[in-house]
Every structure is written in structure tokens, then in C-alpha cells.
Amino acid sequence: MKVFTTIAELRQQLDSDRNAGKKIGLVPTMGALHNGHLQLVKTSVANNDMTVVSIFVNPTQFNDKNDLRLYPRTLDKDCALLETVNCTYAFAPSVEEMYPTEDTRVFHLGPVAEVMEGKYRPGHFNGVAQIVSKLFDIVRPDNAYFGEKDFQQIAVIRAMAAQLGYTFHIVAVPIVREPDGLALSSRNARLTESQRRNAPKIAETLFKSRTFAASHSVRETIDEVVNTLNAIPEMRVEYYEIVDGNTLQPVADWNDSDYIVGCITVYDGEVRLIDNIAYRRPEK
Ligand code: PAF
């Protein structure tokens, strides 16, 4: 695997690959790689000739400076992991390389960006759109891969791509979970022992709520999930919303859409964890 730190060198390499007819997959990450990321990389490697994994802790998407400071940075370990899944290129630029001047672009991403994370993390999706659009322009991939744990992020990136006229495929890869159900996240490493013991209750509660939902309303299901999790020491639900899986707008009734997803954010101590579950999916 080759590691690039400059845009110019990566571009030159990819131009030559493209000229040789190679198909290029992009996996944007902020590093601190785990099996969830590796699943994205494996999917890209299986479906493209070359896979670029970007490793960049993007300052413009952190509205909490403490979160940015504490975000794990483990480049050597990340590169070693990428080697094990046959990644072709890692791209690990500096902040100055990606933002030689302040990025003042403001994206108008529509209703998908205004709810949930958009409400609780003002500016977050604008920062995501800034960095992901830069990466799209640098790499010009045939396919770009994102994890479904960040369910809203995928909808926002699709909205951004539609607005900017990118026509390649944005591929959503299912959540990877620990054996006890906890969705893999770089933030899990920050949980204390007792917080880590409680963390799987998030997924457990969401999965149980699917059975509960069969005989209860949307409102009752939201209350059941929120009350169950808030009763656990150190846990505080920031929001639980049950939404249309495409528009991300809240549904009031199970018959409002054939694609319904519950999206949750929970503080487990100081650590902000997110997860989601589908209640209804359109038939393929
Ligand atoms: O999901 C992430 O890790 C980040 O938001 C992304 C897409 C790599 C942009 O910095």
C-alpha cells in the first residue's frame, strides 16, 4: 500500500490509474480504524481495481473542540490494518494540505440536514460536505463507501452529491456490530469499563423495540426506547426519532412510509454514541 500526504501526488497516481482503465473506490475516514471501516474497505476492494482510504480528522465538522482534541489519531496502526485488507492507497494529508485557506463554502443541503444531528450539531454537516466534496474532487472515484451507522450522514452526502452534480455511486454499507450488539465506533475506545458494559443496551433496546412496535404506536415506541435507556446509570438519550428512511422527516404512523428507520443518539457518560434500526424497508 502506498501512503500519500499531498493532493498533487495522489492526483498524479490516480490520473495514471484512470488512464490505464482502472476503477477507483474511495473510503473516506477519520482514522482510528476498526472492523466497521475495514468492512467498507473490503467492499471497495471487491468492487474496484484501486481503493483509496482517506484518513483525516476533519476540524470543520467538529462543533465541539474538546471532541476534536480527544479524537484518536493512530495513523501507523491504521496503515497496518489497511495492509491486511489489500487497500491500494492511504491518503493522510495535514490540515494545511486540505485547508490552505479557510473553507467558507456554505452548503444548503435541504431538510435531510436540518433534523436530528443537524439540529444538535450545528455546522457539523456543512463541515462534512466541505471535506467530502474536496475528497470527491481529488479522487474522482467510481464508487464511494459510507457506513450506515451514520445513517443521516449518507442522506446528506447524497443530497450534496445531487446538488454538485456528482454522478458516481454512493454506496451504503450495513452497520458492523460487536458480538454483544454494540455498533462499532472509534468513540467506543473512550468508554470506561462500566460504560462499555452498558453500551450494548442501546442496540438491545432498539432491537426489542421492533417487537414492541408491532403492537404500539410510533409515539409509544419512542417513549419506550427513551425511558428504557434513560433508566440506565450514566446514559442520557439526546434524541430518538423515528423517520422516513429517505426524507429523514419524522413519521407519525407506521403506515406513513414503506421505509422507516429509528435514529438514536445517546450519551454514555461523556461519550456520544449513535445507532439506528430499520422498522420497515421497501421490498426489493
Ligand atoms: O464518517 C466519518 O468518519 C466522517 O464524517 C467523514 C465521512 C470521513 C468525513 O470526515
Side-chain angles (χ1 to χ4, degrees):
M1 183 182 76
K2 275 197 203 164
V3 181
F4 294 89
T5 54
T6 68
I7 296 171
E9 281 168 321
L10 178 65
R11 269 209 175 116
Q12 196 180 20
Q13 175 70 58
L14 294 174
D15 282 347
S16 126
D17 291 335
R18 217 173 281 111
N19 289 340
K22 304 291 187 198
K23 210 155 98 176
I24 297 166
L26 168 66
V27 182
T29 82
M30 297 205 298
L33 302 182
H34 50 63
N35 276 329
H37 296 111
L38 295 188
Q39 191 55 40
L40 303 179
V41 182
K42 285 182 196 166
T43 311
S44 174
V45 168
N47 292 287
N48 299 275
D49 302 306
M50 320 306 266
T51 289
V52 183
V53 175
S54 61
I55 297 175
F56 180 66
V57 182
N58 173 37
T60 73
Q61 71 187 74
F62 284 82
N63 53 339
D64 176 348
K65 292 292 162 242
N66 211 30
D67 200 18
L68 171 62
R69 193 175 56 79
L70 291 174
Y71 207 87
R73 287 150 172 96
T74 55
L75 184 60
D76 291 344
K77 195 169 153 231
D78 292 344
C79 288
L81 278 174
L82 291 176
E83 296 270 9
T84 66
V85 287
N86 300 322
C87 174
T88 336
Y89 308 128
F91 177 47
S94 65
V95 172
E96 294 71 31
E97 181 73 7
M98 291 311 283
Y99 296 107
T101 56
E102 192 189 346
D103 191 340
T104 53
R105 289 176 299 160
V106 176
F107 290 82
H108 298 283
L109 299 161
V112 290
E114 282 157 19
V115 292
M116 301 190 286
E117 296 294 281
K119 219 159 47 188
Y120 286 91
R121 298 182 73 188
H124 168 65
F125 283 134
N126 200 65
V128 170
Q130 287 176 340
I131 192 63
V132 173
S133 63
K134 276 177 187 270
L135 292 168
F136 284 176
D137 289 337
I138 295 165
V139 175
R140 294 172 46 216
D142 296 279
N143 298 292
Y145 298 85
F146 295 90
E148 267 192 342
K149 182 173 74 65
D150 296 290
F151 189 79
Q152 187 176 8
Q153 173 169 273
I154 299 180
V156 169
I157 289 170
R158 287 191 202 282
M160 186 254 320
Q163 235 174 58
L164 299 183
Y166 297 111
T167 52
F168 52 81
H169 297 113
I170 292 172
V171 184
V173 178
I175 298 178
V176 180
R177 297 183 180 279
E178 297 283 5
D180 61 14
L182 177 63
L184 295 194
S185 163
S186 307
R187 290 198 168 91
N188 294 351
R190 285 169 47 198
L191 297 168
T192 64
E193 227 173 89
S194 67
Q195 290 161 359
R196 175 64 188 83
R197 254 197 316 277
N198 285 333
K201 304 252 170 59
I202 301 169
E204 186 188 311
T205 305
L206 292 182
F207 283 117
K208 278 191 181 156
S209 80
R210 278 215 279 230
T211 313
F212 184 89
S215 55
H216 294 83
S217 68
V218 170
R219 185 67 257 165
E220 287 164 341
T221 305
I222 292 173
D223 291 344
E224 173 69 11
V225 166
V226 172
N227 294 338
T228 304
L229 290 173
N230 278 344
I232 298 168
E234 295 199 72
M235 281 215 181
R236 181 173 63 77
V237 175
E238 185 167 57
Y239 65 79
Y240 185 50
E241 294 203 13
I242 295 183
V243 301
D244 178 293
N246 292 312
T247 66
L248 301 197
Q249 302 310 298
V251 295
D253 190 278
W254 296 116
N255 292 317
D256 281 356
S257 169
D258 61 356
Y259 188 19
I260 296 185
V261 179
C263 298
I264 196 157
T265 293
V266 185
Y267 277 94
D268 188 3
E270 297 288 300
V271 186
R272 191 173 186 271
L273 300 175
I274 68 174
D275 202 343
N276 62 78
I277 192 170
Y279 290 97
R280 294 186 74 174
R281 276 187 197 278
E283 298 202 357
K284 289 206 175 138

